[in-house]
Amino acid sequence: MDASASHVVTIDGPAASGKSSTAQWVADTLGWQHIDSGSLYRAATWARQRQAGSPEGWTEASVVAAAANVSLRPEARAFYPVAGDLPIGDAIRSVEVTADVSRVARMPGVRAWVNERVREAARGRDVVVDGRDMGTVVFPGAPLKIWLVADPWERARRRLTQRLERRPSDEEIAAETDEIVQRDARDATQTVQAKDAVLVDTTYLTQPEQVERIVALARAVVQKR
Ligand code: C5P
């Protein structure tokens, strides 16, 4: 691999397509770092929720102000959002944050704030970044862009199996599929497939298979440069 230049691989796609876990695994295999842009949208939402007021009344300025204290901290293999010096941890994955995050993500000022944090974190490093618009808006020149998709039923089944630690029933999968399809609709405007992205449909792939495929693509691209 060319050790002199820094590299960016982007992985975008709809909700629950396995972007973050795949991106982390790809980064680990390559010895790179992972940046999860969704974690910043979630951290901004979390920070605003800790203040008063119902989400309907949130202004862009108030969300950006609440997020001012949030930054991305580099650790060995990934970046994590912190509030001041304190790690935010799993609080950003709560049901409440998930319910309000799409509203926050539609605010242009919040998008600009996230994009700046992500570009700053990536500067001079080899990174795998995941989100919705990393390959179109944030790193349009990235040499490898992945568009990661899977059938909504399969995304729901995987998410539930992980959450419940058992095999979910068809009724449970159906209810979760409905949630996922609704979140896809809420996020539709900010979820954009780059024209030069490689489509990876994971519906019939295991996670090791999809990771292997993306790692092979990344190695091919890096060697060519
Ligand atoms: O990827 P994750 O589900 O954690 O992202 C949380 C939310 O952040 C998404 O539902 C979406 O509204 C927003 N998001 C975005 N653009 C990104 C990453 C996430 O709008 N690049």
Side-chain angles (χ1 to χ4, degrees):
M1 284 197 191
D2 176 1
S4 61
S6 58
H7 304 96
V8 177
V9 168
T10 61
I11 303 183
D12 290 307
S17 58
K19 297 182 300 288
S20 290
S21 54
T22 302
Q24 183 66 64
W25 195 340
V26 169
D28 288 346
T29 309
L30 293 169
W32 296 7
Q33 279 171 302
H34 170 217
I35 306 172
D36 170 3
S37 60
S39 72
L40 280 171
Y41 288 101
R42 289 175 175 276
T45 307
W46 169 85
R48 185 63 185 87
Q49 278 177 345
R50 295 185 7 146
Q51 304 172 338
S54 78
E56 288 72 33
W58 291 357
T59 60
E60 176 179 291
S62 74
V63 177
V64 172
N69 194 27
V70 172
S71 58
L72 276 181
R73 177 186 284 169
E75 298 203 356
R77 288 276 158 252
F79 285 77
Y80 296 97
V82 291
D85 267 349
L86 298 174
I88 305 175
D90 282 345
I92 60 168
R93 311 269 159 215
S94 73
V95 176
E96 292 76 17
V97 168
T98 304
D100 290 339
V101 66
S102 303
R103 169 196 309 274
V104 162
R106 277 195 292 270
M107 298 172 170
V110 176
R111 301 201 73 76
W113 174 82
V114 168
N115 295 348
E116 191 42 42
R117 302 283 81 69
V118 172
R119 287 195 191 104
E120 213 170 68
R123 202 160 293 142
R125 294 185 166 99
D126 295 327
V127 289
V128 182
V129 288
D130 81 274
R132 302 290 194 287
D133 58 350
M134 295 298 106
T136 46
V137 175
V138 185
F139 300 103
L144 177 63
K145 303 172 184 178
I146 303 294
W147 184 249
L148 199 71
V149 297
D151 179 83
W153 180 275
E154 180 57 17
R155 284 189 271 150
R157 192 194 63 76
R158 288 177 189 165
R159 177 145 286 193
L160 279 176
T161 305
Q162 191 181 35
R163 193 187 304 150
L164 305 174
E165 296 180 355
R166 62 167 169 79
R167 197 175 156 182
S169 69
D170 280 1
E171 289 71 24
E172 287 170 326
I173 301 175
E176 186 72 17
T177 301
D178 184 50
E179 297 247 321
I180 284 180
V181 169
Q182 283 185 35
R183 185 138 78 97
D184 284 351
R186 289 202 298 273
D187 286 336
T189 48
Q190 56 256 22
T191 308
V192 196
Q193 180 176 5
K195 288 201 174 65
D196 52 348
V198 178
L199 173 79
V200 178
D201 183 340
T202 73
T203 308
Y204 302 108
L205 291 178
T206 63
Q207 204 170 28
E209 285 168 341
Q210 51 180 314
V211 168
E212 207 176 297
R213 196 174 284 191
I214 298 169
V215 166
L217 285 163
R219 290 199 166 122
V221 161
V222 167
Q223 266 154 21
K224 234 173 51 190
R225 295 177 101 211

